[in-house]
């Protein structure tokens, strides 16, 4: 089985509707909570979603991957979406200790004191763990945002369904890829709807990464980028918005030519 730490934020909640339960299908492992939000019911030991964002990210990953991909919830932000660099650091370290294959970080911070986070991500990389990060939704240069600015994460920007740059998406030299992050259908314990954000772009990229990790668990970040580059869609968009290119799990249309571009070897999963 593949083990994926997803979200590093507010995460899966047990009280979801039946449709969402079917998607998760007992694939969520017991989690941990490093955020300021502590549940009296669980004494703060369970990574219970009290915001909704985490479950919606988990839904995208679960919906896009096979049952052998397990989700490890690690909560580092509270019910208001606030957290600290320390809680993020603790979350990444816990994921490393649990020997996960992929860490999805669908959050970003503009803090300039990011040495701790860099240290944790360096350690994850040294152990062969792929770290995927959302570029951020501020419409500015990603170089100001942690962990998206680091070279050894896969930083994901957003494009719309017409494969055009999303105005809210951060951009810059640190962008590695873009996926569709607008009008993304997802479900959470507080309802189903279509959402926008690089968080959802990162979730899709993490799902894509899991396919290649299933084939070869030893593949590292540099090797994986070389592989992913073979699957990008043709696009005239400036590289500062999409990095090496656009990756898509969805059927898309470019200049009247239809693509279902990322056809992956599912028999290896």
């Amino acid at each position: 089985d593949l083990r994926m730490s997803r979200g590093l934020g507010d995460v899966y909640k047990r009280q979801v509707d039946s449709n969402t339960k079917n998607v998760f299908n007992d694939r969520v492992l017991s989690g941990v909570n490093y955020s300021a939000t502590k549940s009296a019911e669980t004494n703060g030991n369970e990574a219970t979603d009290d915001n909704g964002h985490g479950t919606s990210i988990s839904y995208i990953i679960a919906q896009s991957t096979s049952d052998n991909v397990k989700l490890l919830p690690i909560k580092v932000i509270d019910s208001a979406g606030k957290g600290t660099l320390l809680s993020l650091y603790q979350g990444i370290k816990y994921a490393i200790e649990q020997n996960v294959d992929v860490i999805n970080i669908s959050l970003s911070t503009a803090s300039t004191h990011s040495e701790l986070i860099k240290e944790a991500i360096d350690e994850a990389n040294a152990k062969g763990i792929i770290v995927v990060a959302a570029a951020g939704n501020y419409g500015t240069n990603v170089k100001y945002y942690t962990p998206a600015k680091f070279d050894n994460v896969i930083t994901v920007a957003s494009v719309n369904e017409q494969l055009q740059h999303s105005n809210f998406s951060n951009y810059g030299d640190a962008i590695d890829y873009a996926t569709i992050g607008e009008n993304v259908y997802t479900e959470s314990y507080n309802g189903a709807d279509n959402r926008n954000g690089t968080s959802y772009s990162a979730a899709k990229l993490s799902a894509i990464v899991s396919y290649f990790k299933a084939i070869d668990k030893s593949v590292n970040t540099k090797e994986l980028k070389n592989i992913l580059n073979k699957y990008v869609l043709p696009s005239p968009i400036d590289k500062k918005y999409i990095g090496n290119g656009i990756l898509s799990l969805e059927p898309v249309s470019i200049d009247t030519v239809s693509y279902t571009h990322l056809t992956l070897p599912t028999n290896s999963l």
Side-chain angles (χ1 to χ4, degrees), residues 117-158:
I117 308 305
K118 181 68 164 62
E119 175 188 313
I121 290 174
D122 286 348
E123 182 181 347
N125 269 254
K127 294 183 181 297
I129 299 170
I130 308 295
V131 181
V132 177
N137 303 326
Y138 304 98
T140 189
N141 200 305
V142 71
K143 69 181 181 181
Y144 301 114
Y145 293 89
T146 298
K149 67 183 180 182
F150 297 135
D151 291 339
N152 53 356
V153 305
I154 299 180
T155 299
V156 193
S158 171

Side-chain angles (χ1 to χ4, degrees), residues 208-235:
I208 291 169
V209 168
S210 75
Y211 283 93
F212 294 101
K213 269 291 192 178
I215 296 167
D216 181 3
K217 279 202 172 192
S218 70
V219 67
N220 61 35
T221 300
K222 183 178 179 180
E223 293 166 340
L224 184 60
K225 287 181 182 180
N226 289 334
I227 294 169
L228 292 176
N229 290 346
K230 300 174 183 177
Y231 291 88
V232 297
L233 293 163
S235 174

